Amino acid sequence: MSDETSYLAIRVTRDRRIAERYSLIMSSKEIPHEIIDLPDGLTLYVPAAEVERAEREIAQYEAGERERRSQREEPRYYPDDIPGLLLTLSLLALFHALTYLPPGRSFWLDTGRASASRILDGEWWRALTALTLHGDAGHLFSNLVFGGVVLWALRRLLGSGRVWFLVVVSGALGNFL
């Protein structure tokens, strides 16, 4: 601090980020200042002639921050689309039932199941097609029940499109790996 100008302490904080913010405010308004680390905390000093202006600038900043915090959106919940979820899960169950009709299970499994050797031989789409196949009714039922609960919860937060995209991508990556 300059010996010629008398500096006064106007703010004290223990939070370095807040002290840096005060310094940024002062710098942006070209108010001479210093932050000194004292036992009570980081202390903002400004020239006595600039105290009023510095206080006003900090008050304006803090008022703006309070307003921004009050206007922050609450988490956005997408409406529950239980009928859409049930329809999708029902279509998966129907497809599972159709895989047992002639030409039968062997056709569907041979055509679409994830086979490491076939995927490595270039049939990458098997990582996707295998997502629609289930080993038996128990496998299907557990996917529908537990997957349905997870999908329902995630759809409320992320929306349908994002969740189905994540399901397909993560499932395909899992099969691919």
Side-chain angles (χ1 to χ4, degrees), residues 15-26 61 65:
D15 188 333
R16 184 158 301 281
R17 290 175 300 168
I18 292 173
E20 289 170 355
R21 219 169 280 141
Y22 290 155
S23 181
L24 183 63
I25 293 165
M26 297 300 104
Y61 169 78
E65 279 299 298

Side-chain angles (χ1 to χ4, degrees), residues 1-7 34:
M1 287 188 273
S2 167
D3 292 332
E4 303 161 9
T5 306
S6 151
Y7 276 69
E34 292 203 34

Side-chain angles (χ1 to χ4, degrees), residues 95-106:
F95 183 77
H96 175 75
L98 292 174
T99 62
Y100 283 92
L101 296 176
R105 181 163 175 70
S106 61

Side-chain angles (χ1 to χ4, degrees), residues 104-136:
R105 181 163 175 70
S106 61
F107 169 78
W108 288 107
L109 287 179
D110 187 49
T111 305
R113 78 169 172 229
S115 162
S117 61
R118 287 180 150 180
I119 290 173
L120 290 174
D121 285 341
E123 295 181 24
W124 57 267
W125 59 86
R126 289 178 173 273
L128 288 166
T129 57
L131 295 175
T132 62
L133 301 174
H134 296 86
D136 56 25

Side-chain angles (χ1 to χ4, degrees), residues 112-115 119 123-132 163-177:
R113 78 169 172 229
S115 162
I119 290 173
E123 295 181 24
W124 57 267
W125 59 86
R126 289 178 173 273
L128 288 166
T129 57
L131 295 175
T132 62
V163 169
W164 284 113
F165 175 78
L166 290 173
V167 165
V168 171
V169 169
S170 62
L173 283 173
N175 286 340
F176 187 76
L177 293 174

Side-chain angles (χ1 to χ4, degrees), residues 29-48:
K29 298 303 179 178
E30 297 179 352
I31 299 173
H33 67 283
E34 292 203 34
I35 303 246
I36 300 175
D37 194 355
L38 298 173
D40 287 344
L42 298 161
T43 306
L44 171 64
Y45 285 90
V46 298

Side-chain angles (χ1 to χ4, degrees), residues 55-66:
E55 289 281 6
R56 186 174 56 248
E57 295 300 336
I58 290 173
Q60 275 184 325
Y61 169 78
E62 289 173 343
E65 279 299 298
R66 279 191 300 277

